[in-house]
Amino acid sequence: MRLVSIRHVQPGMKVGRSIFTEDGKVLLGVGMTLTDRLIQGLERSGIDSLYIDDPRTQDIVVEDVIRPETRQVAVETIEKTVKQITNSNKLARKISLKEMGLHFQQAFGSILDDLMQNKQMVMHLANISTHSPSLYHHSVNVAVLATAVGMSIGYNRAQLTELGVGAMLHDIGKVQLPAELLQKKERWNEAEMEIAKEHCMLGFNLLRKEHDISLLSAHVCLQHHERLDGSGYPQGLKGKNIHEYAQIVGICDIYDSLTSPRPWRKRYMPQDALEYLLGAGGHLFDHRLINAFRSHIAIFPIGSSVVLNTGEVGVVCRVDPDYCHRPTVRVLKDGRGNEVRATYDLDLKTNIKLFITGFEDDHLFSIGGLIEKTVD
Protein backbone atom coordinates (compact mmCIF):
# COMPACT_ATOMS: atom_id res chain seq x y z
CA MET A 1 0.00 0.00 0.00
CA ARG A 2 1.02 3.63 -0.25
CA LEU A 3 -0.01 6.96 1.22
CA VAL A 4 -1.73 9.29 -1.23
CA SER A 5 -2.86 12.91 -0.85
CA ILE A 6 -6.64 13.34 -1.00
CA ARG A 7 -6.16 15.60 -4.02
CA HIS A 8 -4.43 12.76 -5.90
CA VAL A 9 -6.99 10.10 -4.97
CA GLN A 10 -9.12 8.93 -7.89
CA PRO A 11 -12.41 7.01 -8.12
CA GLY A 12 -11.78 3.29 -8.41
CA MET A 13 -8.87 3.26 -5.99
CA LYS A 14 -9.25 0.94 -3.00
CA VAL A 15 -8.71 1.85 0.66
CA GLY A 16 -5.55 0.22 2.04
CA ARG A 17 -6.07 1.02 5.73
CA SER A 18 -9.28 1.77 7.59
CA ILE A 19 -10.26 5.41 7.91
CA PHE A 20 -11.81 6.41 11.22
CA THR A 21 -14.38 9.00 12.21
CA GLU A 22 -13.67 11.56 14.89
CA ASP A 23 -15.17 9.30 17.56
CA GLY A 24 -13.13 6.24 16.56
CA LYS A 25 -15.67 4.40 14.41
CA VAL A 26 -14.63 2.98 11.03
CA LEU A 27 -15.66 5.43 8.30
CA LEU A 28 -14.27 3.44 5.38
CA GLY A 29 -12.93 -0.08 5.74
CA VAL A 30 -10.02 -1.81 4.05
CA GLY A 31 -10.79 -2.75 0.45
CA MET A 32 -13.59 -0.20 -0.01
CA THR A 33 -13.66 1.14 -3.57
CA LEU A 34 -13.60 4.94 -3.64
CA THR A 35 -16.15 7.00 -5.57
CA ASP A 36 -16.37 10.73 -6.24
CA ARG A 37 -18.98 11.01 -3.48
CA LEU A 38 -16.82 9.15 -0.93
CA ILE A 39 -13.76 11.24 -1.80
CA GLN A 40 -15.75 14.46 -1.36
CA GLY A 41 -16.99 13.16 2.00
CA LEU A 42 -13.42 12.50 3.15
CA GLU A 43 -12.43 16.04 2.20
CA ARG A 44 -15.35 17.47 4.21
CA SER A 45 -14.24 15.35 7.18
CA GLY A 46 -10.77 16.93 7.11
CA ILE A 47 -8.99 13.78 5.87
CA ASP A 48 -6.08 15.04 3.76
CA SER A 49 -4.45 11.73 2.86
CA LEU A 50 -5.11 8.01 3.01
CA TYR A 51 -3.50 4.67 2.27
CA ILE A 52 -4.58 2.94 -0.91
CA ASP A 53 -4.01 -0.55 -2.29
CA ASP A 54 -1.67 -0.61 -5.27
CA PRO A 55 -0.45 -3.82 -6.99
CA ARG A 56 3.01 -2.25 -7.34
CA THR A 57 3.28 -1.78 -3.57
CA GLN A 58 1.12 -4.64 -2.29
CA ASP A 59 4.05 -6.13 -0.34
CA ILE A 60 4.60 -2.86 1.55
CA VAL A 61 2.82 -3.35 4.87
CA VAL A 62 2.14 -0.33 7.05
CA GLU A 63 1.57 -1.60 10.58
CA ASP A 64 0.02 0.30 13.44
CA VAL A 65 2.08 0.49 16.60
CA ILE A 66 -1.17 -0.06 18.53
CA ARG A 67 -4.07 -2.27 17.47
CA PRO A 68 -7.15 -0.60 15.93
CA GLU A 69 -9.32 -1.94 18.75
CA THR A 70 -6.95 -0.43 21.33
CA ARG A 71 -7.20 2.95 19.62
CA GLN A 72 -10.98 2.71 19.44
CA VAL A 73 -11.32 2.00 23.17
CA ALA A 74 -9.03 4.94 23.98
CA VAL A 75 -10.91 7.28 21.65
CA GLU A 76 -14.27 6.19 23.08
CA THR A 77 -13.01 6.78 26.63
CA ILE A 78 -11.98 10.33 25.75
CA GLU A 79 -15.22 10.92 23.84
CA LYS A 80 -17.36 9.74 26.76
CA THR A 81 -15.56 12.08 29.16
CA VAL A 82 -15.87 15.01 26.75
CA LYS A 83 -19.61 14.42 26.40
CA GLN A 84 -20.07 14.23 30.17
CA ILE A 85 -18.28 17.56 30.62
CA THR A 86 -20.17 19.16 27.74
CA ASN A 87 -23.55 18.04 29.08
CA SER A 88 -22.69 19.30 32.57
CA ASN A 89 -21.72 22.67 31.12
CA LYS A 90 -24.96 22.93 29.15
CA LEU A 91 -27.07 22.12 32.21
CA ALA A 92 -24.94 24.34 34.47
CA ARG A 93 -24.37 21.38 36.78
CA LYS A 94 -21.32 20.42 38.78
CA ILE A 95 -19.22 18.09 36.69
CA SER A 96 -19.39 14.50 37.93
CA LEU A 97 -16.95 12.03 36.37
CA LYS A 98 -17.38 8.76 38.22
CA GLU A 99 -14.38 6.43 38.05
CA MET A 100 -12.77 8.64 35.40
CA GLY A 101 -9.26 7.69 36.44
CA LEU A 102 -10.05 3.97 36.37
CA HIS A 103 -11.42 4.16 32.82
CA PHE A 104 -8.40 6.06 31.57
CA GLN A 105 -5.97 3.75 33.34
CA GLN A 106 -7.65 0.76 31.69
CA ALA A 107 -7.61 2.38 28.25
CA PHE A 108 -4.00 3.43 28.62
CA GLY A 109 -3.11 -0.01 29.99
CA SER A 110 -4.09 -1.50 26.64
CA ILE A 111 -1.96 1.07 24.82
CA LEU A 112 1.00 0.29 27.04
CA ASP A 113 0.56 -3.47 26.62
CA ASP A 114 0.55 -3.06 22.83
CA LEU A 115 3.72 -0.95 22.96
CA MET A 116 5.47 -3.36 25.34
CA GLN A 117 4.65 -6.29 23.04
CA ASN A 118 5.80 -4.41 19.95
CA LYS A 119 9.11 -2.95 21.07
CA GLN A 120 10.69 -3.16 17.62
CA MET A 121 8.07 -0.80 16.23
CA VAL A 122 8.29 1.43 19.29
CA MET A 123 11.99 1.87 18.60
CA HIS A 124 11.08 3.48 15.29
CA LEU A 125 7.58 4.93 15.35
CA ALA A 126 6.38 5.70 11.86
CA ASN A 127 2.65 5.24 11.62
CA ILE A 128 0.56 6.39 14.55
CA SER A 129 -1.54 9.02 12.81
CA THR A 130 -5.06 8.29 11.57
CA HIS A 131 -4.87 11.44 9.41
CA SER A 132 -7.83 12.74 11.37
CA PRO A 133 -7.53 16.21 12.92
CA SER A 134 -9.85 15.44 15.85
CA LEU A 135 -9.08 16.10 19.50
CA TYR A 136 -9.71 12.44 20.32
CA HIS A 137 -7.17 10.98 17.89
CA HIS A 138 -4.65 13.73 18.64
CA SER A 139 -4.80 12.83 22.33
CA VAL A 140 -4.19 9.15 21.59
CA ASN A 141 -1.31 9.96 19.23
CA VAL A 142 0.34 12.15 21.86
CA ALA A 143 -0.07 9.41 24.46
CA VAL A 144 1.62 6.85 22.19
CA LEU A 145 4.52 9.17 21.37
CA ALA A 146 4.98 10.25 24.99
CA THR A 147 4.95 6.65 26.21
CA ALA A 148 7.64 5.70 23.68
CA VAL A 149 9.82 8.52 25.03
CA GLY A 150 9.13 7.46 28.61
CA MET A 151 10.06 3.86 27.80
CA SER A 152 13.32 4.97 26.19
CA ILE A 153 14.45 6.91 29.25
CA GLY A 154 13.65 4.08 31.64
CA TYR A 155 10.31 4.91 33.25
CA ASN A 156 8.66 2.07 35.16
CA ARG A 157 5.04 1.05 34.56
CA ALA A 158 3.65 3.33 37.27
CA GLN A 159 5.50 6.34 35.80
CA LEU A 160 4.43 5.43 32.28
CA THR A 161 0.82 5.26 33.44
CA GLU A 162 1.01 8.70 35.06
CA LEU A 163 2.60 10.09 31.91
CA GLY A 164 0.24 8.31 29.51
CA VAL A 165 -2.98 9.20 31.32
CA GLY A 166 -1.78 12.81 31.54
CA ALA A 167 -1.05 12.75 27.79
CA MET A 168 -4.51 11.39 26.98
CA LEU A 169 -6.05 14.19 29.04
CA HIS A 170 -3.63 17.02 28.25
CA ASP A 171 -6.21 18.99 26.22
CA ILE A 172 -9.31 18.11 28.23
CA GLY A 173 -9.65 21.74 29.36
CA LYS A 174 -10.51 22.76 25.79
CA VAL A 175 -13.94 21.21 26.32
CA GLN A 176 -14.74 24.06 28.69
CA LEU A 177 -13.81 26.78 26.21
CA PRO A 178 -16.58 28.66 24.34
CA ALA A 179 -18.14 26.42 21.68
CA GLU A 180 -17.85 29.09 18.99
CA LEU A 181 -14.09 29.21 19.58
CA LEU A 182 -13.68 25.46 19.18
CA GLN A 183 -15.84 25.38 16.06
CA LYS A 184 -14.04 28.24 14.32
CA LYS A 185 -12.39 27.14 11.06
CA GLU A 186 -9.96 30.07 10.84
CA ARG A 187 -6.86 30.63 12.93
CA TRP A 188 -7.56 32.28 16.27
CA ASN A 189 -6.75 35.97 16.66
CA GLU A 190 -4.77 37.34 19.61
CA ALA A 191 -7.85 37.87 21.81
CA GLU A 192 -9.12 34.37 21.08
CA MET A 193 -5.66 32.97 21.78
CA GLU A 194 -5.71 34.47 25.25
CA ILE A 195 -9.04 32.77 25.93
CA ALA A 196 -7.76 29.48 24.50
CA LYS A 197 -4.74 29.53 26.80
CA GLU A 198 -7.13 29.06 29.71
CA HIS A 199 -7.56 25.41 28.73
CA CYS A 200 -4.45 24.44 30.74
CA MET A 201 -5.79 25.77 34.04
CA LEU A 202 -9.35 24.65 33.29
CA GLY A 203 -8.16 21.10 32.68
CA PHE A 204 -5.96 21.08 35.76
CA ASN A 205 -8.76 22.29 38.02
CA LEU A 206 -10.98 19.56 36.63
CA LEU A 207 -8.47 16.72 36.99
CA ARG A 208 -7.02 17.61 40.39
CA LYS A 209 -10.45 17.08 41.96
CA GLU A 210 -10.69 13.51 40.72
CA HIS A 211 -9.44 11.16 43.45
CA ASP A 212 -8.35 8.45 40.99
CA ILE A 213 -6.32 10.77 38.73
CA SER A 214 -2.68 11.25 39.75
CA LEU A 215 -1.79 14.84 40.61
CA LEU A 216 1.22 14.45 38.33
CA SER A 217 -1.12 13.53 35.46
CA ALA A 218 -3.10 16.67 36.24
CA HIS A 219 0.13 18.71 36.11
CA VAL A 220 0.74 17.44 32.58
CA CYS A 221 -2.49 19.20 31.63
CA LEU A 222 -1.42 22.33 33.49
CA GLN A 223 2.16 22.57 32.24
CA HIS A 224 2.32 21.10 28.72
CA HIS A 225 2.59 24.61 27.21
CA GLU A 226 5.30 25.77 29.63
CA ARG A 227 8.80 26.21 28.16
CA LEU A 228 12.28 26.05 29.68
CA ASP A 229 13.04 29.72 29.00
CA GLY A 230 9.86 30.94 30.67
CA SER A 231 8.13 31.86 27.41
CA GLY A 232 5.26 29.40 27.89
CA TYR A 233 1.96 29.58 29.73
CA PRO A 234 -0.11 29.67 31.90
CA GLN A 235 2.43 30.40 34.66
CA GLY A 236 5.61 31.25 32.73
CA LEU A 237 7.56 28.54 34.56
CA LYS A 238 11.25 27.98 33.85
CA GLY A 239 13.69 25.07 33.87
CA LYS A 240 13.27 22.47 36.58
CA ASN A 241 9.99 24.02 37.71
CA ILE A 242 8.36 22.30 34.72
CA HIS A 243 7.72 18.61 35.37
CA GLU A 244 9.48 16.22 32.99
CA TYR A 245 6.17 14.56 32.10
CA ALA A 246 4.81 17.91 30.92
CA GLN A 247 7.91 18.58 28.82
CA ILE A 248 7.60 15.21 27.11
CA VAL A 249 3.92 15.77 26.34
CA GLY A 250 4.69 19.31 25.14
CA ILE A 251 7.19 17.93 22.61
CA CYS A 252 4.79 15.24 21.39
CA ASP A 253 1.88 17.69 21.27
CA ILE A 254 3.80 20.04 18.96
CA TYR A 255 4.97 17.23 16.69
CA ASP A 256 1.54 15.65 16.24
CA SER A 257 -0.10 19.06 15.78
CA LEU A 258 2.36 20.14 13.10
CA THR A 259 2.17 16.86 11.18
CA SER A 260 -1.65 16.88 11.22
CA PRO A 261 -3.87 19.07 9.01
CA ARG A 262 -5.73 22.07 10.34
CA PRO A 263 -8.59 24.00 8.66
CA TRP A 264 -6.23 26.93 8.02
CA ARG A 265 -3.16 24.96 6.92
CA LYS A 266 -1.95 21.66 5.53
CA ARG A 267 0.26 19.25 7.46
CA TYR A 268 4.00 19.82 7.77
CA MET A 269 6.59 17.31 6.64
CA PRO A 270 7.82 15.07 9.49
CA GLN A 271 11.44 16.11 8.95
CA ASP A 272 10.50 19.79 9.12
CA ALA A 273 8.51 19.33 12.32
CA LEU A 274 11.46 17.43 13.77
CA GLU A 275 13.84 20.17 12.63
CA TYR A 276 11.77 22.71 14.52
CA LEU A 277 11.90 20.61 17.68
CA LEU A 278 15.65 20.12 17.37
CA GLY A 279 16.03 23.87 17.08
CA ALA A 280 13.95 24.25 20.24
CA GLY A 281 16.33 22.08 22.26
CA GLY A 282 18.01 23.92 25.10
CA HIS A 283 15.65 26.87 25.26
CA LEU A 284 12.13 25.49 24.89
CA PHE A 285 12.76 21.84 25.81
CA ASP A 286 15.47 19.76 27.44
CA HIS A 287 17.99 18.46 24.86
CA ARG A 288 17.90 14.99 26.44
CA LEU A 289 14.14 14.69 25.91
CA ILE A 290 14.33 16.02 22.36
CA ASN A 291 16.99 13.41 21.53
CA ALA A 292 14.90 10.66 23.13
CA PHE A 293 11.95 11.75 21.00
CA ARG A 294 14.03 11.97 17.81
CA SER A 295 15.25 8.39 18.21
CA HIS A 296 11.68 7.10 17.72
CA ILE A 297 10.54 9.11 14.71
CA ALA A 298 10.67 7.95 11.11
CA ILE A 299 11.55 11.00 9.03
CA PHE A 300 10.25 9.25 5.93
CA PRO A 301 7.47 6.86 7.03
CA ILE A 302 6.95 3.56 5.24
CA GLY A 303 4.36 3.96 2.50
CA SER A 304 5.00 7.67 1.91
CA SER A 305 5.60 8.94 -1.63
CA VAL A 306 8.90 10.76 -2.01
CA VAL A 307 10.91 12.51 -4.71
CA LEU A 308 14.62 11.82 -5.29
CA ASN A 309 17.21 14.32 -6.46
CA THR A 310 17.07 12.59 -9.85
CA GLY A 311 13.40 13.51 -10.19
CA GLU A 312 12.32 9.89 -9.71
CA VAL A 313 9.21 9.38 -7.59
CA GLY A 314 8.74 6.36 -5.39
CA VAL A 315 7.37 4.89 -2.19
CA VAL A 316 9.39 4.26 0.96
CA CYS A 317 9.30 0.48 1.34
CA ARG A 318 11.91 -0.18 4.05
CA VAL A 319 13.53 1.88 6.80
CA ASP A 320 16.68 0.94 8.69
CA PRO A 321 16.40 2.46 12.20
CA ASP A 322 20.12 3.22 12.14
CA TYR A 323 19.82 5.11 8.83
CA CYS A 324 16.30 6.53 8.98
CA HIS A 325 17.20 9.42 6.64
CA ARG A 326 18.29 6.97 3.91
CA PRO A 327 15.47 4.43 3.44
CA THR A 328 14.85 2.06 0.55
CA VAL A 329 12.59 3.58 -2.10
CA ARG A 330 10.52 1.71 -4.70
CA VAL A 331 10.54 3.81 -7.85
CA LEU A 332 7.17 4.25 -9.59
CA LYS A 333 7.96 7.21 -11.89
CA ASP A 334 11.12 8.11 -13.77
CA GLY A 335 12.83 11.48 -13.70
CA ARG A 336 10.44 12.80 -16.37
CA GLY A 337 7.34 11.89 -14.41
CA ASN A 338 6.44 8.85 -16.50
CA GLU A 339 5.21 5.64 -14.88
CA VAL A 340 7.95 2.98 -15.05
CA ARG A 341 7.08 -0.32 -16.69
CA ALA A 342 8.78 -2.36 -14.00
CA THR A 343 9.32 -0.96 -10.52
CA TYR A 344 12.73 -1.21 -8.86
CA ASP A 345 14.02 -0.61 -5.35
CA LEU A 346 16.83 1.81 -4.53
CA ASP A 347 18.60 1.45 -1.20
CA LEU A 348 19.80 4.95 -0.40
CA LYS A 349 22.31 3.58 2.12
CA THR A 350 24.33 2.11 -0.73
CA ASN A 351 23.37 4.58 -3.47
CA ILE A 352 25.15 7.47 -1.78
CA LYS A 353 24.67 9.90 -4.67
CA LEU A 354 20.89 9.67 -4.29
CA PHE A 355 18.87 11.48 -1.66
CA ILE A 356 15.26 12.45 -0.95
CA THR A 357 14.38 16.06 -1.75
CA GLY A 358 10.84 15.94 -0.37
CA PHE A 359 7.43 14.32 -0.60
CA GLU A 360 5.60 13.94 -3.89
CA ASP A 361 2.66 15.87 -2.50
CA ASP A 362 4.03 19.38 -2.89
CA HIS A 363 1.24 21.00 -0.88
CA LEU A 364 2.91 19.87 2.34
CA PHE A 365 4.37 22.92 4.04
CA SER A 366 8.01 23.59 4.76
CA ILE A 367 8.23 24.73 8.31
CA GLY A 368 10.59 27.61 7.58
CA GLY A 369 10.69 30.12 10.40
CA LEU A 370 7.74 28.74 12.30
CA ILE A 371 7.40 29.99 15.87
CA GLU A 372 4.92 28.27 18.15
CA LYS A 373 2.34 30.96 18.89
CA THR A 374 -0.82 28.92 18.83
CA VAL A 375 -2.76 26.46 20.93
CA ASP A 376 -2.94 23.85 18.17
Side-chain angles (χ1 to χ4, degrees), residues 65-83:
V65 71
I66 60 173
R67 294 170 298 152
E69 53 267 38
T70 297
R71 174 177 287 274
Q72 184 169 346
V73 169
V75 166
E76 289 175 348
T77 301
I78 298 169
E79 180 196 17
K80 180 179 178 181
T81 300
V82 166
K83 287 183 176 179

Side-chain angles (χ1 to χ4, degrees), residues 25-37:
K25 305 297 190 301
V26 175
L27 179 62
L28 293 178
V30 174
M32 178 81 72
T33 300
L34 293 166
T35 63
D36 281 323
R37 184 178 179 182

Side-chain angles (χ1 to χ4, degrees), residues 81 85 95 97 100 172-173 176 201-210:
T81 300
I85 296 171
I95 297 172
L97 302 171
M100 176 184 181
I172 196 67
Q176 295 183 286
M201 189 63 74
L202 289 170
F204 174 69
N205 287 333
L206 174 69
L207 298 180
R208 69 186 179 89
K209 297 174 183 176
E210 299 301 318

Side-chain angles (χ1 to χ4, degrees), residues 11-12 32 121 173 181 282 309 326:
M32 178 81 72
M121 287 188 68
L181 192 63
N309 59 312
R326 300 195 65 79

Side-chain angles (χ1 to χ4, degrees), residues 29-252:
V30 174
M32 178 81 72
T33 300
L34 293 166
T35 63
D36 281 323
R37 184 178 179 182
L38 289 176
I39 294 170
Q40 291 167 8
L42 292 175
E43 290 178 316
R44 287 193 299 270
S45 298
I47 305 297
D48 74 336
S49 54
L50 63 150
Y51 287 95
I52 64 163
D53 274 334
D54 184 336
R56 299 170 299 173
T57 58
Q58 62 184 359
D59 61 318
I60 299 176
V61 179
V62 181
E63 296 185 76
D64 275 315
V65 71
I66 60 173
R67 294 170 298 152
E69 53 267 38
T70 297
R71 174 177 287 274
Q72 184 169 346
V73 169
V75 166
E76 289 175 348
T77 301
I78 298 169
E79 180 196 17
K80 180 179 178 181
T81 300
V82 166
K83 287 183 176 179
Q84 285 179 308
I85 296 171
T86 302
N87 290 336
S88 295
N89 290 341
K90 286 180 179 178
L91 299 173
R93 292 177 178 172
K94 182 179 178 181
I95 297 172
S96 176
L97 302 171
K98 293 182 179 179
E99 297 185 328
M100 176 184 181
L102 176 62
H103 295 316
F104 274 89
Q105 287 167 25
Q106 290 174 340
F108 176 73
S110 296
I111 292 175
L112 183 55
D113 288 342
D114 281 5
L115 295 179
M116 295 292 285
Q117 292 170 16
N118 213 350
K119 289 186 178 180
Q120 280 300 111
M121 287 188 68
V122 174
M123 287 305 295
H124 197 57
L125 289 175
N127 302 292
I128 61 162
S129 178
T130 61
H131 302 283
S132 167
S134 82
L135 169 65
Y136 308 145
H137 289 288
H138 169 66
S139 298
V140 175
N141 291 345
V142 171
V144 171
L145 288 168
T147 304
V149 175
M151 289 170 64
S152 73
I153 60 179
Y155 284 176
N156 59 36
R157 191 177 184 95
Q159 291 172 311
L160 290 172
T161 299
E162 289 176 329
L163 171 64
V165 170
M168 289 178 69
L169 290 164
H170 76 282
D171 270 343
I172 196 67
K174 286 185 177 179
V175 183
Q176 295 183 286
L177 295 176
E180 59 272 17
L181 192 63
L182 297 176
Q183 294 166 3
K184 185 177 178 181
K185 297 300 182 183
E186 298 80 28
R187 196 168 193 148
W188 293 327
N189 59 36
E190 290 297 324
E192 291 167 334
M193 273 296 305
E194 290 305 310
I195 296 172
K197 287 180 180 180
E198 296 175 9
H199 80 282
C200 300
M201 189 63 74
L202 289 170
F204 174 69
N205 287 333
L206 174 69
L207 298 180
R208 69 186 179 89
K209 297 174 183 176
E210 299 301 318
H211 71 278
D212 51 359
I213 295 283
S214 163
L215 193 57
L216 291 180
S217 297
H219 272 82
V220 167
C221 185
L222 177 65
Q223 296 181 356
H224 69 280
H225 281 289
E226 300 285 3
R227 302 295 178 252
L228 283 185
D229 61 3
S231 62
Y233 59 85
Q235 296 173 302
L237 300 178
K238 292 185 178 182
K240 297 295 184 181
N241 290 321
I242 307 169
H243 197 279
E244 189 167 271
Y245 293 170
Q247 278 205 65
I248 292 172
V249 171
I251 292 168
C252 300

